[in-house]
Amino acid sequence: MNYRTFKEAQVAEVGLGTWQLGSADWGTINEAEAFSILQAYTDAGGNFIDTADVYGMGVSETIIGKFLKTVKKDIYVATKLGRRGDAPNGWPQNFSYDAMKRHAEDSLQHLGVSQLFCEQLHCIPTEEMRSGKVFDHLRKLQQQGLIRHFGASVETSEEALICLEQEGLASLQIIFNLFRQHVADEVFARAQEKGVAIIVRVPLASGLLSGRFTTDATFPGKDHRNYNANGESFNAGETFSGVEFKEGVRLANEMKGMLPDDRMAQWAIRWILDHPGVTTVIPGASKTSQVHSNVAASALSPLSASTHQQLRKLYDEQIRQQIRGHF
């Protein structure tokens, strides 16, 4: 495993996303399976885990908290707030200081820690980011010692640039993958100038970039790849990066022929890591074999310049115009 700088920490360049550990939007993963996934990741040298308070409404955080008690090395956990629907002022009105403090304190309890390494805004409305009040609240939580760093998970390059104007921002989390290449052009240089870490989510486009799907694939009823395939429940970009599933399968198959061998998932992550603006990429995993595959991307040699050019040409000519949702 290779490591990159996140403020004072050296974090694994291949992190672990844990939306799936909430057993709410990716099918069900029991606690024993979750522990196996977390153990496989940390055994491989991993030390950066991303979660959120709404992943199973505390389930993901709580499992991670239990696991942390079994680990002796430093593990950096970034969580998120802002999308809870609890009364009386649920989404999209979760942004008072009192609400954010309560949510941060809940995450502290779930994770069993005295301070959150990084608290991130969780894809909140653009106007809330633009007003700046939420960042004042985060700075206050930081001053109180509840959080060490704060960041924002965003949907669009516009939102990323708004957040980058905020003093003290430690990280930006954004969708970036072979189906969402233009983000590097619009955001990465500015983030590097400001010393802001880039956390890349949806690196495999909800599995499309593993190259293992056929057009007749189906998903369980509670899997977001079933109920949000076309953006029915939340931003379409969070599922298959906003590309229509069957077209995504076709495009992934075309990309396979441009890569050095058939390890498509690993090369798709390697492609992301080839961008120096990236701090860490957070693929999820629902089984230990996926953890091993994801982590192995760190050891691969960078893709050639000609391969990068081929992949960008395909993106510009066939993919970008097909992206749905806001980006």
Side-chain angles (χ1 to χ4, degrees):
M1 178 70 77
N2 294 311
Y3 301 85
R4 302 189 184 191
T5 302
F6 187 123
K7 293 302 183 183
E8 79 285 356
Q10 291 297 302
V11 303
E13 65 181 8
V14 180
L16 178 67
T18 60
W19 185 9
Q20 75 284 2
L21 300 191
S23 292
D25 301 290
W26 289 86
T28 300
I29 295 177
N30 65 42
E31 189 169 300
E33 291 169 330
F35 262 62
S36 295
I37 289 165
L38 292 162
Q39 190 69 59
Y41 174 67
T42 56
D43 285 350
N47 68 355
F48 185 83
I49 297 172
D50 178 83
T51 187
D53 56 5
V54 292
Y55 293 168
M57 291 307 297
V59 172
S60 176
E61 288 181 328
T62 299
I63 288 173
I64 293 165
K66 290 179 181 178
F67 178 76
L68 292 178
K69 290 180 172 62
T70 72
V71 182
K72 295 182 179 179
K73 68 176 183 178
D74 289 336
I75 304 294
Y76 302 101
V77 179
T79 192
K80 299 184 284 291
L81 58 73
R83 297 193 70 89
R84 274 172 50 174
D86 43 332
N89 295 308
W91 171 266
Q93 297 167 322
N94 279 331
F95 313 114
S96 69
Y97 167 73
D98 287 342
M100 290 175 63
K101 182 173 185 286
R102 183 173 69 254
H103 295 170
E105 289 173 338
D106 286 348
S107 290
L108 286 167
Q109 182 178 1
H110 295 153
L111 290 166
V113 296
S114 59
Q115 184 184 60
L116 300 175
F117 172 68
C118 186
E119 179 72 274
Q120 305 162 92
L121 301 173
H122 196 174
C123 299
I124 68 173
T126 308
E127 59 270 21
E128 295 289 347
M129 298 182 199
R130 188 176 285 114
S131 79
K133 292 180 181 178
V134 286
F135 295 101
D136 291 336
H137 301 335
L138 288 169
R139 281 186 277 267
K140 188 173 179 180
L141 295 175
Q142 189 178 48
Q143 290 164 3
Q144 294 175 327
L146 297 179
I147 64 176
R148 193 186 312 179
H149 301 296
F150 63 85
S153 181
V154 299
E155 298 280 14
T156 69
S157 294
E158 176 195 12
E159 291 171 350
L161 295 173
I162 289 169
C163 293
L164 283 169
E165 296 304 312
Q166 289 292 330
E167 187 67 30
L169 187 81
S171 64
L172 269 176
Q173 184 177 140
I174 197 163
I175 298 172
F176 178 61
N177 58 43
L178 286 166
F179 286 166
R180 194 67 70 90
Q181 298 185 32
H182 68 279
V183 173
D185 310 335
E186 299 170 349
V187 175
F188 287 9
R190 181 62 173 156
Q192 285 183 289
E193 288 172 13
K194 303 278 283 187
V196 173
I198 293 288
I199 303 170
V200 171
R201 73 175 185 278
V202 198
L204 298 179
S206 308
L208 269 180
L209 291 170
S210 69
R212 61 186 176 84
F213 290 145
T214 59
T215 55
D216 59 356
T218 59
F219 303 96
K222 292 184 178 181
D223 190 314
H224 74 101
R225 293 172 295 183
N226 177 14
Y227 69 78
N228 195 60
N230 299 301
E232 296 92 336
S233 297
F234 43 83
N235 181 23
E238 300 292 346
T239 305
F240 305 129
S241 292
V243 176
E244 191 275 328
F245 177 72
K246 291 184 178 180
E247 182 63 4
V249 171
R250 182 190 72 78
L251 290 163
N253 284 331
E254 188 165 346
M255 286 177 176
K256 279 183 186 178
M258 302 176 184
L259 298 171
D261 55 47
D262 62 0
R263 295 174 292 176
M264 186 172 189
Q266 292 178 26
W267 288 117
I269 294 172
R270 180 68 253 174
W271 177 88
I272 294 169
L273 295 175
D274 286 351
H275 294 78
V278 170
T279 304
T280 185
V281 54
I282 51 169
S286 56
K287 55 185 72 172
T288 57
S289 60
Q290 293 172 347
V291 175
H292 298 314
S293 173
N294 295 339
V295 168
S298 181
L300 293 176
S301 298
L303 290 161
S304 68
S306 61
T307 298
H308 275 275
Q309 291 164 3
Q310 280 184 287
L311 291 166
R312 183 57 189 256
K313 185 172 186 288
L314 178 66
Y315 178 75
D316 289 338
E317 293 181 355
Q318 295 191 47
I319 300 174
R320 183 169 181 174
Q321 62 268 31
Q322 297 193 49
I323 299 173
R324 301 169 300 173
H326 44 281
F327 63 93

